[in-house]
Amino acid sequence: MKKHITLALALAIAPSAAFAGELSYGYVEAAYTDSTLSLNTFDFYDTSDNGYALKVSSPIGERFYGSMGMHAETFDGQEVKPWELALGVRQPMAEGVDFVAEVAYLGVNSRADGTSYHNDGYRVAAGVRAAIGEHVELAAKATWTDVENADDVVGVNVGAHVKFNQTWGAVAQYHYNEYNFIYYGIDTGDVDTWQVGVRYSF
């Protein structure tokens, strides 16, 4: 996990001295997702899936913002549809560079063998958003998640936003989470998720 944290910190610190553009906290995103679940019980076994993700974010005054997001995926026939409602605060560090901190409620809906499940949880996150010039933005966050019937989860999120104009842009994100819960009777491990999509800023 150390290599993931090192990558996140490097992306967060590197842009600080760069020429900065404008950071927007009002946007809607839609993305394709691809995840790989590694199992602690069997080092040789990984299972992958793909799905979609949606997110909307809106500023609340000068320093706060709220967001809601969800994604849907299927692992070996088991549907997983988590969603979250988050409140964040931003603190400018330099021109075009913000420190951000978030707290979020999580609702994890899943379905397996014809039975539906729901688990509650919450997440806290902290990181940096930084604009490079007028068309590129990088972001990195460290996360800590606690979900019902699962151990605490440590994660790292890194992402990039390429702006075509003031309204439209492309986004790419990588999410790493270190889980420890029972999946079909087997102890799970890391989940690596890639997302590629579009963002509409307002």
Side-chain angles (χ1 to χ4, degrees), residues 14-33:
S16 299
F19 173 75
E22 181 180 358
L23 298 172
S24 173
Y25 288 84
Y27 58 84
V28 177
E29 283 183 2
Y32 165 84
T33 69

Side-chain angles (χ1 to χ4, degrees), residues 2 23 26 36 69 72 76 86 107 110-111 117 126 134 136 143 152-153 163 170 176 180:
K2 292 181 179 179
L23 298 172
T36 299
D76 290 343
S110 60
R111 184 175 179 83
Y117 303 91
E134 297 180 358
V136 178
T143 64
D152 301 340
V153 180
K163 306 173 185 177
Y176 166 81
N180 184 18

Side-chain angles (χ1 to χ4, degrees), residues 161-165 167-171 197-201:
H161 174 208
V162 179
K163 306 173 185 177
F164 304 140
N165 51 47
T167 302
W168 292 99
V171 290
V198 295
R199 176 184 291 186
Y200 174 85
S201 300

Side-chain angles (χ1 to χ4, degrees), residues 22-199:
E22 181 180 358
L23 298 172
S24 173
Y25 288 84
Y27 58 84
V28 177
E29 283 183 2
Y32 165 84
T33 69
D34 184 88
S35 297
T36 299
L37 168 64
S38 302
L39 302 182
N40 289 330
T41 304
F42 305 107
D43 292 337
F44 60 86
Y45 182 80
D46 294 339
T47 180
S48 299
D49 81 314
N50 53 64
Y52 64 90
L54 302 171
K55 183 178 180 180
V56 58
S57 175
S58 178
I60 304 173
E62 292 292 326
R63 292 294 179 86
F64 294 91
Y65 60 94
S67 67
M68 183 168 64
M70 65 84 64
H71 68 270
E73 297 173 320
T74 302
F75 288 99
D76 290 343
Q78 176 173 313
E79 299 177 1
V80 181
K81 296 181 178 180
W83 63 275
E84 68 174 52
L85 183 63
L87 177 65
V89 59
R90 54 180 289 262
Q91 174 62 47
M93 300 172 62
E95 183 182 2
V97 182
D98 284 357
F99 169 81
V100 295
E102 300 173 355
V103 59
Y105 163 78
L106 305 179
V108 182
N109 299 316
S110 60
R111 184 175 179 83
D113 297 329
T115 302
S116 297
Y117 303 91
H118 175 83
N119 299 93
D120 296 306
Y122 63 91
R123 173 181 295 136
V124 292
V128 174
R129 290 182 61 187
I132 301 178
E134 297 180 358
H135 300 287
V136 178
E137 176 189 328
L138 299 179
K141 291 187 297 185
T143 64
W144 182 82
T145 306
D146 185 21
V147 178
E148 184 181 6
N149 297 326
D151 288 344
D152 301 340
V153 180
V154 177
V156 172
N157 297 349
V158 294
H161 174 208
V162 179
K163 306 173 185 177
F164 304 140
N165 51 47
Q166 291 184 341
T167 302
W168 292 99
V171 290
Q173 300 178 34
Y174 169 71
H175 307 275
Y176 166 81
N177 289 285
E178 183 178 344
Y179 285 95
N180 184 18
F181 64 94
I182 302 302
Y183 172 81
Y184 277 96
I186 300 173
D187 186 19
T188 63
D190 302 340
V191 177
D192 297 273
T193 300
W194 293 91
Q195 295 184 354
V196 179
V198 295
R199 176 184 291 186

